[in-house]
Amino acid sequence: MERWGPYWLQLLWTLLFSAGLNLVFTVLGFVVNARKLSDWLSLSNWAYWYGRIFVITLTIAVLIHLLFELTATWIGRRRIKSFTRRQRNAYFTIVPLVGVYLGWPLGYALAGWQISDIWSGGNMIVGSLLLSGAVTWLMSVYWSVRQRETEAEVRATEAHLKLLQAQIEPHFLFNTLANVVSLIDHDAPRAKQMLESFVDYLRGSLNQLRHGDTSLGAELDMAQSYLSLIGMRMADRLRWRIEASAEARELRLPPLLLQPLVENAVHHGLEPKLDGGELLVRAEVDAGRL
């Protein structure tokens, strides 16, 4: 579970959600209780009931929002993202339900009514149950849609990465083997060194592709192996440096995300130049972001 946009936007959506839900319940209240046309046309009636019910719905929405924040901190956002579908459905159903049952009497009191009135008649009990069911259902639908959108984006990203990986690996494979073949006749030791480095590179690359994500440190090691191989071909024309803190190296990211940047920098930036040049890879962490 992750926040979409800045925190103030989350609070704004909570407010808008409350306002929209409040309008629905205000209309339902008029349908049930209005006895004549003048009741519907009275702006003071609308202002009174909308204001009172808005206090209740806003209290419930804010409480649900806070419960999600607290439980996400307690359970851990990464762990929630790894929930099964059944666990997610339970989580996004139970939290709003608890928020409704705690927020309903609290909002009722803040609206200026007596909490005891909630349980004084069958209509109030039925109303609270209907409100609980409606809010829970709306929250469940909302989070289910969000979850499907997130899963679709993840699948699209994974497909794009797999396509990119499929394009990168053969290109690098054929170029390296062609270089080894060209060196065998006149510089066998260097060809052997390049082939050994290439085997080490492939071993690390295939190991990373078996996992859904990797660390920046592993990506930088891959880049270093790649640059070592390219350096054998370009010799003094390629100079390179990798600068990254231990904190940056521990961060997680998709596999083979760094290699296209390094490869493009070499092929399109340095190889066309007669004198070559220097390639610098620097990784920094700023406010928890890579």
Side-chain angles (χ1 to χ4, degrees):
M1 187 179 70
E2 54 189 72
R3 296 192 182 102
W4 288 25
Y7 193 73
W8 65 265
L9 187 58
Q10 305 296 315
L11 297 177
L12 178 60
W13 279 117
T14 299
L15 179 64
L16 294 176
F17 174 80
S18 303
L21 186 63
N22 180 61
L23 180 60
V24 172
F25 281 109
T26 302
V27 172
L28 289 177
F30 270 80
V31 170
V32 173
N33 297 301
R35 296 290 181 264
K36 47 190 177 180
L37 181 61
S38 59
D39 293 335
W40 285 90
L41 299 178
S42 173
L43 294 179
S44 60
N45 282 347
W46 281 96
Y48 174 82
W49 288 108
Y50 186 88
R52 293 296 181 94
I53 298 176
F54 181 70
V55 172
I56 298 174
T57 54
L58 182 60
T59 302
I60 293 173
V62 169
L63 192 55
I64 292 173
H65 181 91
L66 292 176
L67 285 173
F68 273 123
E69 290 292 329
L70 292 173
T71 54
T73 301
W74 177 51
I75 299 173
R77 296 181 187 276
R78 183 182 294 272
R79 185 177 178 185
I80 293 174
K81 289 176 66 176
S82 65
F83 277 175
T84 64
R85 183 176 295 275
R86 182 174 296 179
Q87 289 173 326
R88 286 195 298 268
N89 289 339
Y91 175 72
F92 289 114
T93 299
I94 293 174
V95 171
L97 192 61
V98 172
V100 168
Y101 275 101
L102 293 178
W104 173 259
L106 177 60
Y108 205 79
L110 292 175
W113 293 324
Q114 295 295 324
I115 298 180
S116 57
D117 293 342
I118 296 178
W119 316 112
S120 60
N123 289 338
M124 295 300 295
I125 296 175
V126 171
S128 66
L129 292 174
L130 290 176
L131 178 62
S132 302
V135 173
T136 302
W137 178 77
L138 287 173
M139 293 296 293
S140 178
V141 170
Y142 171 73
W143 285 111
S144 296
V145 171
R146 283 275 297 272
Q147 184 63 37
R148 285 196 295 269
E149 291 176 351
T150 302
E151 290 175 351
E153 290 177 359
V154 169
R155 287 194 296 268
T157 301
E158 290 176 348
H160 179 71
L161 284 174
K162 289 180 180 179
L163 178 61
L164 182 62
Q165 292 160 5
Q167 293 171 342
I168 292 172
E169 289 300 314
H171 173 74
F172 182 51
L173 172 66
F174 296 143
N175 280 351
T176 303
L177 291 178
N179 289 328
V180 171
V181 170
S182 66
L183 287 172
I184 288 177
D185 292 334
H186 65 276
D187 195 347
R190 189 179 175 194
K192 180 182 178 182
Q193 182 184 2
M194 177 176 283
L195 191 57
E196 289 174 345
S197 298
F198 185 56
V199 169
D200 291 338
Y201 172 83
L202 284 181
R203 186 180 293 113
S205 175
L206 293 175
N207 182 58
Q208 284 186 246
L209 289 176
R210 293 189 182 100
H211 301 87
D213 65 350
T214 185
S215 66
L216 177 62
E219 285 285 292
L220 292 174
D221 291 341
M222 288 272 294
Q224 181 169 332
S225 299
Y226 170 79
L227 290 170
S228 297
L229 285 169
I230 297 298
M232 293 180 190
R233 190 179 76 225
M234 295 181 61
D236 295 337
R237 295 178 58 240
L238 175 61
R239 301 176 302 280
W240 52 272
R241 289 182 293 138
I242 295 178
E243 301 175 359
S245 65
E247 180 185 10
R249 285 179 172 271
E250 292 177 356
L251 297 181
R252 310 299 295 179
L253 71 165
L256 290 182
L257 194 64
L258 178 61
Q259 183 184 331
L261 302 179
V262 176
E263 186 174 351
N264 286 335
V266 172
H267 287 306
H268 302 295
L270 301 183
E271 275 191 323
K273 297 181 179 180
L274 294 177
D275 297 331
E278 182 180 40
L279 188 148
L280 170 62
V281 181
R282 178 184 292 124
E284 299 177 352
V285 179
D286 182 13
R289 289 183 171 272
L290 175 64

